[in-house]
Amino acid sequence: MAALRSTCPLVVVEGPAGIGKTTLALHVALRCLAEDEAGATTSQSPNRGAFEAYVWATAKASVFTLDSLLDVICHTLDYPYIQQFESNKKYDEVLKLLRRVRALIVLDNFETVDDERVARFIEAVPDRSKVLVTTRNQREWNKPYIAVGLSKLVRDEGTTLIHDEARRLGIAAVSQLGNDSLFALYEATGGSPLAIKWALGQIKQGGQTYASVLGALKNAQGDIFEIMFASSWKILDENSRQVLLAVPIFAATVSRLALEATARVGGAFDEALGKLIRLWLVESNGGSSSSDHRLSLHPLTFSFVSRESSRFPQLETEMRLRAADYYLQFCNDRRYFQHGPQGYDELEGEVENISKVIDWIDAKWRVDDSFAMNCRLIINFSNAINVFFWSRGYWAERVNLCMRALDASVKLESWASAGRQAYFIGIVRFWQGAVEESEQWASRSKEYMARTNKAIHLALTDHLLGLIRIQQGDYTSAAAILEQVLNTVSKPGVGSPEEIRIFADWRCPGPDGYQVGIASIVQDLGINAYKNGEFVTAVSWLDKSTALAEGIADVEGLARSLSHRGHALFGLGRIDDARANYERGLELATQVQRKSTMGRCNQGLADVAAHEGRMSDAGRHGRAALDLFERLGMRQEIAHVHELLSAI
């Protein structure tokens, strides 16, 4: 803690395997976070200038590169837009971000990193932030740093740990031993906390005696952890082994439910998992419910289990596919906003694991012809989660997933799906202000949709083209295109509810939820009208979309309607009405965490405040809007807010 409170920008925790480096790093990070949340940032606090954000990156995965670290930082700080840049620009943008946000970046297991650019980045991190590194190896750094060396537990600490852990596990034969007898195990394990816990786990779970485990350790030759893992593996039954082999499939922690579905050992799961936890092979957060109960592997265990897993490639493939099935169902259960914001919160907690599953499927089908038909899973994931990605601001992830789903759709000659994926990508680029690129995606979408010869499919592409005409200032063409799209979509029997629903970039549950697609087109006609200065017409269109949203209890669509209605009312000079729409829109958008609409409402409130001469409020709302727009990469909106802030 003293090192983190110092002015030194880099803290390095060094020590041998299993000594507790990860545990120490996690403990101090959580302690800093707790102090921040308790408000320990007053001038009297020793932790003055507390961290605004905490980033945890672990290099225990097989390949950890500079891009891996940059993506973790972008994801954690909620700036997904930066992730889509090429490496050099991403590097520069992350450093700019860290000049604004005071972050504690923890990089665990640095000794496994082969990409030397990671070290160069750590050395380049602005001093406003701090980096905490854990590593087994010593090295010199080209910036000031404090090295914290960890060595084995001293004798009293070691024997106390043995005694306390034996008592916790209910191993009376050990907990009742005197310190001299416990010292023998301390010596045999080299004073390593993890080795001590593994040894006691073997006594508890493996039915071995204290003397037999001690004797095996004393006679061991080579790496003590290799030997102890082999011993633990040997005493596991098949069910426990299968559960253990499933854990490295996941990106970080895994829920008990996901692990159970992936391992698929039936009624033996609870016993198998309990055995692994008692052996300290799997670490548990002790969550009280199945959804809160999270499980993970110590980095050493991760390495050993990953190596063991390579001996069972068919089993690994089967388990990865089961994980894909589990997460696809998990996404579909929340796809239509059935569980409200909580369901999206749950999705957000699993983004890393879902992304890892998708990464594996995408890589596998491209190189394995026998696996190619499974690429449909990529399409299914895109259909299930890309609207969530949009709503919660994971726009880079949406583009990445839709590009993969597009390749899979072309592979399967599923032209309607290919056209939809190109449309989804074009929508992102449109709202990010990349109009030329958006038009290219619209052309690709139209090319694919033309092969289906279905009016509803062609109308989807025309919807994007109508938006592009707005951005190009061709408001007459935009109105004509969007009105034709609205007429097509409104015809009875023109398409399925799902085909109508996808005209909107949000979802609403219930039998009438598909009407969000119609509401979206009506909103866009309103946007076109106020962009063209036709504010009365704009209010008329947006009144209709507002009524549609209210009629089907569509909170997210209502928030979006109100934000644009506020713009139209502001244009009419109805300032009080505009403010009311922005305030209500912001309340609803915050409720569902729709970032683009939150930004738009804050922008509107900043404009209103500036108009009324309330410059402090204008600055506050303007900065909030700018932060959100920058996270999403919305160029036009960023330029507008910059102009406003410069003026005040």
Side-chain angles (χ1 to χ4, degrees):
M1 287 298 293
L4 287 180
R5 289 169 175 161
S6 73
T7 59
C8 194
L10 173 61
V11 179
V12 183
V13 180
E14 302 169 342
I19 205 65
K21 299 182 298 296
T22 301
T23 302
L24 177 62
L26 181 60
H27 173 78
V28 296
L30 289 174
R31 183 171 167 185
C32 285
L33 178 60
E35 290 183 358
D36 289 351
E37 291 178 342
T41 55
T42 65
S43 59
Q44 290 79 27
S45 170
N47 199 30
R48 187 181 182 186
F51 301 110
E52 300 166 285
Y54 292 80
V55 179
W56 183 280
T58 180
K60 70 180 180 183
S62 55
V63 178
F64 189 88
T65 64
L66 175 61
D67 264 357
S68 306
L69 179 56
L70 297 178
D71 286 346
V72 170
I73 295 171
C74 292
H75 174 78
T76 305
L77 300 186
D78 199 18
Y79 278 79
Y81 173 63
I82 297 175
Q83 290 178 249
Q84 69 186 6
F85 295 140
E86 52 84 22
S87 293
N88 289 338
K89 183 169 177 58
K90 186 190 299 186
Y91 179 97
D92 292 339
E93 291 297 320
V94 170
L95 290 180
K96 286 180 186 177
L97 179 58
L98 292 174
R99 291 187 187 100
R100 301 202 310 269
V101 179
R102 179 169 164 77
L104 174 61
I105 302 169
V106 183
L107 176 53
D108 194 28
N109 302 114
F110 178 78
E111 74 280 352
T112 65
V113 176
D114 293 325
D115 188 346
E116 185 61 23
R117 295 176 303 163
V118 174
R120 301 286 80 81
F121 172 79
I122 290 171
E123 292 168 345
V125 168
D127 290 354
R128 176 175 173 78
S129 294
K130 284 185 184 289
V131 182
L132 173 60
V133 170
T134 73
T135 179
R136 298 182 203 172
N137 305 325
Q138 294 182 343
R139 66 170 289 155
E140 291 298 319
W141 298 84
N142 293 322
K143 73 182 305 182
Y145 70 98
I146 295 175
V148 179
L150 295 185
S151 56
K152 70 178 185 179
L153 299 173
V154 299
R155 173 172 175 160
D156 288 347
E157 292 171 338
T159 55
T160 298
L161 175 61
I162 296 168
H163 179 271
D164 291 348
E165 185 65 13
R167 186 171 57 183
R168 186 187 70 81
L169 292 172
I171 311 174
V174 177
S175 63
Q176 294 173 4
L177 292 174
N179 283 345
D180 288 343
S181 297
L182 298 180
F183 178 66
L185 181 59
Y186 160 79
E187 283 279 275
T189 57
S192 163
L194 182 61
I196 289 171
K197 291 176 179 179
W198 279 9
L200 292 172
Q202 290 177 13
I203 295 171
K204 173 66 177 180
Q205 196 57 51
Q208 301 182 57
T209 66
Y210 179 79
S212 64
V213 170
L214 183 60
L217 287 171
K218 286 182 175 180
N219 295 326
Q221 295 182 358
D223 186 290
I224 186 174
F225 292 104
E226 292 275 359
I227 294 162
M228 295 189 73
F229 179 78
S231 178
S232 295
W233 179 262
K234 187 176 180 180
I235 64 177
L236 293 177
D237 57 36
E238 287 303 312
N239 289 326
S240 297
R241 289 182 180 183
Q242 189 151 318
V243 173
L244 184 59
L245 290 171
V247 185
I249 285 173
F250 303 91
T253 65
V254 56
S255 72
R256 183 191 181 285
L257 292 174
L259 183 59
E260 184 174 12
T262 301
R264 194 178 290 179
V265 294
F269 179 78
D270 285 344
E271 182 181 350
L273 179 60
K275 184 178 293 186
L276 294 171
I277 292 173
R278 288 190 293 273
L279 280 167
W280 279 95
L281 293 175
V282 170
E283 299 180 5
S284 165
N285 72 344
S288 57
S289 68
S290 295
S291 56
D292 293 336
H293 193 187
R294 309 291 298 188
L295 304 152
S296 61
L297 296 178
H298 186 280
L300 274 175
T301 317
F302 183 94
S303 175
F304 297 143
V305 177
S306 297
R307 188 180 61 210
E308 198 67 33
S309 179
S310 66
R311 297 175 50 228
F312 306 98
Q314 183 59 37
L315 175 62
E316 181 184 2
T317 295
E318 291 171 1
M319 290 197 295
R320 287 186 182 275
L321 286 173
R322 290 199 288 265
D325 288 341
Y326 171 83
Y327 280 120
L328 183 57
Q329 186 61 52
F330 186 87
C331 293
N332 277 323
D333 286 346
R334 294 152 181 81
R335 175 177 180 174
Y336 298 117
F337 213 57
Q338 302 99 305
H339 304 291
Q342 180 182 345
Y344 271 20
D345 290 345
E346 291 164 352
L347 276 174
E348 202 150 13
E350 295 291 352
V351 164
E352 284 188 79
N353 283 327
I354 293 168
S355 297
K356 186 171 182 181
V357 165
I358 292 171
D359 287 347
W360 177 80
I361 298 168
D362 186 66
K364 182 81 170 172
W365 80 260
R366 293 178 189 275
V367 298
D368 185 348
D369 289 339
S370 66
F371 192 80
M373 293 308 294
N374 286 298
C375 68
R376 184 170 295 282
L377 284 168
I378 301 286
I379 301 171
N380 294 341
F381 268 109
S382 177
N383 293 337
I385 201 173
N386 89 69
V387 170
F388 156 79
F389 277 157
W390 175 270
S391 181
R392 286 294 172 98
Y394 292 91
W395 290 9
E397 286 85 349
R398 176 178 178 165
V399 169
N400 181 276
L401 174 56
C402 289
M403 283 183 171
R404 293 173 170 190
L406 174 58
D407 288 346
S409 299
V410 171
K411 171 74 175 179
L412 298 174
E413 298 185 356
S414 179
W415 304 120
S417 174
R420 283 192 291 269
Q421 305 306 325
Y423 165 84
F424 293 143
I425 298 167
I427 285 289
V428 175
R429 295 301 189 231
F430 168 79
W431 285 108
Q432 290 179 331
V435 180
E436 185 175 331
E437 186 182 349
S438 179
E439 192 161 21
Q440 292 170 359
W441 283 108
S443 296
R444 288 186 66 177
S445 177
K446 191 149 197 162
E447 175 190 340
Y448 296 131
M449 291 304 200
R451 302 191 187 195
T452 73
N453 197 30
K454 194 171 179 181
I456 192 74
H457 295 159
L458 292 167
L460 186 69
T461 297
D462 286 341
H463 181 221
L464 175 56
L465 287 171
L467 293 174
I468 290 168
R469 296 296 174 261
I470 296 174
Q471 197 75 6
Q472 292 171 336
D474 188 354
Y475 304 115
T476 302
S477 294
I481 293 170
L482 291 172
E483 286 181 16
Q484 180 58 47
V485 170
L486 181 60
N487 290 335
T488 299
V489 174
S490 300
K491 289 177 182 177
V494 71
S496 68
E498 186 61 26
E499 288 173 324
I500 295 172
R501 197 189 311 264
I502 62 173
F503 282 80
D505 56 28
W506 69 93
R507 293 294 179 262
C508 176
D512 295 326
Y514 71 92
Q515 292 189 45
V516 297
I518 297 172
S520 176
I521 302 165
V522 173
Q523 287 178 15
D524 293 335
L525 281 160
I527 294 170
N528 180 63
Y530 78 65
K531 292 271 189 179
N532 194 27
E534 299 173 352
F535 299 116
V536 173
T537 302
V539 170
S540 176
W541 281 117
L542 291 163
D543 281 348
K544 292 176 183 177
S545 67
T546 298
L548 267 172
E550 289 175 334
I552 59 174
D554 174 17
V555 175
E556 194 162 349
L558 180 56
R560 187 176 189 265
S561 272
L562 291 170
S563 70
H564 289 295
R565 192 169 181 269
H567 285 356
L569 291 166
F570 187 84
L572 285 172
R574 293 168 56 182
I575 305 303
D576 289 342
D577 290 337
R579 181 194 304 106
N581 276 255
Y582 290 138
E583 288 176 344
R584 178 63 174 150
L586 180 58
E587 178 187 347
L588 295 175
T590 302
Q591 180 181 323
V592 296
Q593 283 296 295
R594 184 180 174 90
K595 290 183 170 58
S596 56
T597 302
M598 291 163 62
R600 190 176 299 111
C601 290
N602 270 299
Q603 172 195 326
L605 288 169
D607 287 335
V608 167
H611 177 80
E612 296 177 335
R614 296 182 289 108
M615 296 310 176
S616 177
D617 287 342
R620 175 168 57 86
H621 285 296
R623 287 187 293 274
L626 183 61
D627 180 61
L628 288 159
F629 291 148
E630 286 183 336
R631 292 171 190 267
L632 301 173
M634 299 175 72
R635 300 177 192 176
Q636 276 201 329
E637 288 77 5
I638 291 169
H640 175 91
V641 178
H642 270 306
E643 183 179 349
L644 171 67
L645 292 174
S646 297
I648 63 174

